[in-house]
Amino acid sequence: MVPSSPAVEKQVPVEPGPDLELRSWRRLVCYLCFYGFMAQIRPGESFITPYLLGPDKNFTREQVTNEITPVLPYSYLAVLVPVFLLTDYLRYTPVLLLQGLSYVSVWLLLLLGSSVAHMQLMELFYSVTMAARIAYSSYIFSLVQPARYQRVASYSRAAVLLGVFSSSVLGQLLVTAGGVSFSTLNYISLAFLTFSVVLALFLKRPKRSLFFNRGAAGREPSASASELERMNPGAGGKLGRALRAACGGSVLARMLRELGDSLRRPQLRLWSLWWVFNSAGYYLVVYYVHILWNEVDPTTNSARVYNGAADAASTLLGAITSFAAGFVKIRWARWSKLLIAGVTATQAGLVFLLSHTRHIWLCYMAFVLFRGSYQFLVPIATFQIAASLSKELCALVFGVNTFFATIVKTVITFIVSDIRGLGLPVRQQFQLYSVYFLLLSIIYFLGAVLDGLRHCQRGRHQPLPLAQDLRSPEEEKAALALSVQDKDLRSLPPAQGPRLSPEDSLGAAGPGSGEQRQSDLATAPLATGFLSPVPAPSAYILGPTQASGPDSAAETCPQSAVPPPGVSTLGLQRHLSVSVQNVSQ
């Protein structure tokens, strides 16, 4: 037996202190925010449409409007659900890497492609980058504790907005002040995107995710199942896989049931519908507004194209309105529909102005205001949807809302824009979009009016409590006096005064009668109940102690009450009359 010594004893690992943990998550968040900023530096993005319509590619406006751009919502609908599931299953970083490679593919096709098919493939890769944006927004929550969610969410959102703003400003400065061509601008964008792919390679891959990888507690059963599969790779492995598939299906079924129950809440249902229909119209305007700008001002001089400035101004205004929305304090249950109706009506007017004006600066201004008004409602909708949901269910609700919004957007695109549908010119499309927003605003306004009418009816015909309806003011005072008297009687000491005469007492106990004392003890609670302020029974409600059969007479008829021992009926009546007079005064 070897004696223990300090050198032989097992060393206990030292847990990292709070300072080390704090420095660790700060480094991770800083690096992720830097990646999010650099991934948005695409100075040529605001000038893709004039680049396609210009002498570099020489596509017609009809080809860009009715053949190339409609591919974007179609492909986005196809890749949205697979990318969403892969994001959680692969734990974020592979999907972020896929997003960076897709951006590189987009700009390679822009620079090297020459046909409509190449540009349609470019739209397919761009839809993958759009679907993969959820990886960045949800990745940061797997790195920190829930107490830091709000702070790191604001950091990541600020990094993205700052990147978009800086990218638009940089592109506009290079085009206007530097005289850089659109082709050179796209090469610069390709260089920045390649650098962002290199940054994505060094992102830390988290050990847990929202649904498929739920931490150590969720990994233990899978580890034991994998050991069983190694011992018996035949039927046992299939059984384990089937059990895991069944468990996964039960979790999904439970979440879908919870989703159905949650949709019964009026605020959640309202803001989810807003998310579906208004975001569909918003993205349709964003997709086609650059084509509209080119039709309003079809210049070939790149120095006179201010698309980057308009995008920068709209991003800045969107950030300001999103920040201001956090300080709006109203009764959302009453005023939500009216607020949505007002903002949607404003958007309808701005889109109508876009479809009819011939001044490019008026188009820029209308688009900036349109985008700012939409960004004002986004954080409000996010809070109203997520306020009463768990983190998993909240992610599912947002995913379902985005999916249905994509369906609406795809259907409208096929009918209005696609060459196989109506194939309308861009101005007529914006006229239909203005009607679309106008109809939505009318529906929201009618809902607000109906809610107001119901609220007024409830306030006008609000019934009073039954006890107040059935009592007069004198009865209220008498009930208050009975309550006071009840307290006074409960505080009285046991009867030790002179013997009462039979005229002044109802069955008072004698000193030598044990049966009579038991009778007095039995009648004392009844007297206490008689003196307590019991409200008059309602004629409309059948209480639990109110019988309705033929034998109910003995249960519901009042019984004579006996006062406590030592208290005379005459003295009690006098005391009660004095109390009622005091209350009346």
Side-chain angles (χ1 to χ4, degrees), residues 183-468:
S183 179
T184 305
L185 200 62
N186 286 324
Y187 278 108
I188 296 174
S189 302
L190 181 61
F192 278 111
L193 291 172
T194 305
F195 178 65
S196 68
V197 172
V198 175
L199 292 177
L201 293 174
F202 297 96
L203 288 172
K204 179 183 177 182
R205 190 177 184 185
K207 297 180 180 180
R208 56 186 175 88
S209 60
L210 201 58
F211 297 105
F212 291 102
N213 308 280
R214 297 176 61 86
R219 290 195 303 270
E220 291 177 0
S222 61
S224 60
S226 61
E227 293 175 1
L228 290 174
E229 289 179 6
R230 286 197 298 268
M231 291 186 293
N232 186 9
K238 294 180 180 179
L239 179 60
R241 287 192 295 270
L243 288 175
R244 287 195 299 274
C247 292
S250 63
V251 171
L252 181 60
R254 177 181 58 81
M255 294 188 66
L256 291 176
R257 286 195 300 269
E258 292 179 0
L259 178 61
D261 295 337
S262 301
L263 289 178
R264 298 175 183 176
R265 304 169 186 170
Q267 287 297 302
L268 179 63
R269 187 168 58 248
L270 169 66
W271 287 101
S272 295
L273 291 175
W274 175 88
W275 196 285
V276 170
F277 292 101
N278 285 60
S279 63
Y282 167 78
Y283 281 107
L284 287 172
V285 171
V286 171
Y287 290 165
Y288 289 93
V289 71
H290 289 82
I291 305 174
L292 179 66
W293 291 345
N294 184 267
E295 181 175 333
V296 172
D297 187 18
T299 179
T300 57
N301 185 8
S302 60
R304 293 181 54 190
V305 178
Y306 294 95
N307 294 3
D311 288 338
S314 62
T315 302
L316 182 61
L317 181 62
I320 294 174
T321 55
S322 298
F323 180 78
F327 297 92
V328 177
K329 304 295 183 183
I330 62 175
R331 297 183 63 178
W332 295 108
R334 182 179 300 179
W335 303 107
S336 291
K337 292 180 182 178
L338 191 60
L339 177 65
I340 294 174
V343 174
T344 307
T346 304
Q347 291 176 326
L350 293 172
V351 175
F352 182 81
L353 179 62
L354 282 169
S355 63
H356 287 81
T357 185
R358 298 288 178 178
H359 301 281
I360 186 62
W361 287 104
L362 200 56
C363 277
Y364 288 153
M365 184 187 67
F367 175 72
V368 169
L369 295 176
F370 173 82
R371 194 171 182 181
S373 61
Y374 174 79
Q375 295 296 332
F376 171 73
L377 290 181
V378 167
I380 299 176
T382 303
F383 171 75
Q384 293 294 324
I385 292 174
S388 57
L389 300 177
S390 63
K391 184 173 63 175
E392 293 82 1
L393 193 58
C394 180
L396 182 62
V397 168
F398 282 116
V400 170
N401 290 344
T402 304
F403 180 73
F404 281 109
T406 306
I407 292 177
V408 173
K409 180 173 53 180
T410 303
V411 171
I412 295 176
T413 300
F414 182 80
I415 296 174
V416 176
S417 305
D418 199 294
I419 194 173
R420 292 165 292 184
L422 297 178
L424 297 178
V426 65
R427 280 192 177 274
Q428 296 184 16
Q429 290 185 34
F430 272 73
Q431 291 174 3
L432 289 180
Y433 298 155
S434 64
V435 174
Y436 175 81
F437 281 104
L438 182 61
L439 290 177
L440 289 179
S441 65
I442 292 174
I443 293 173
Y444 293 136
F445 182 74
L446 290 178
V449 170
L450 292 177
D451 287 348
L453 291 177
R454 283 195 292 264
H455 177 75
C456 292
Q457 289 178 354
R458 286 196 301 266
R460 184 178 303 173
H461 302 289
Q462 183 71 26
L464 293 174
L466 292 175
Q468 295 182 12

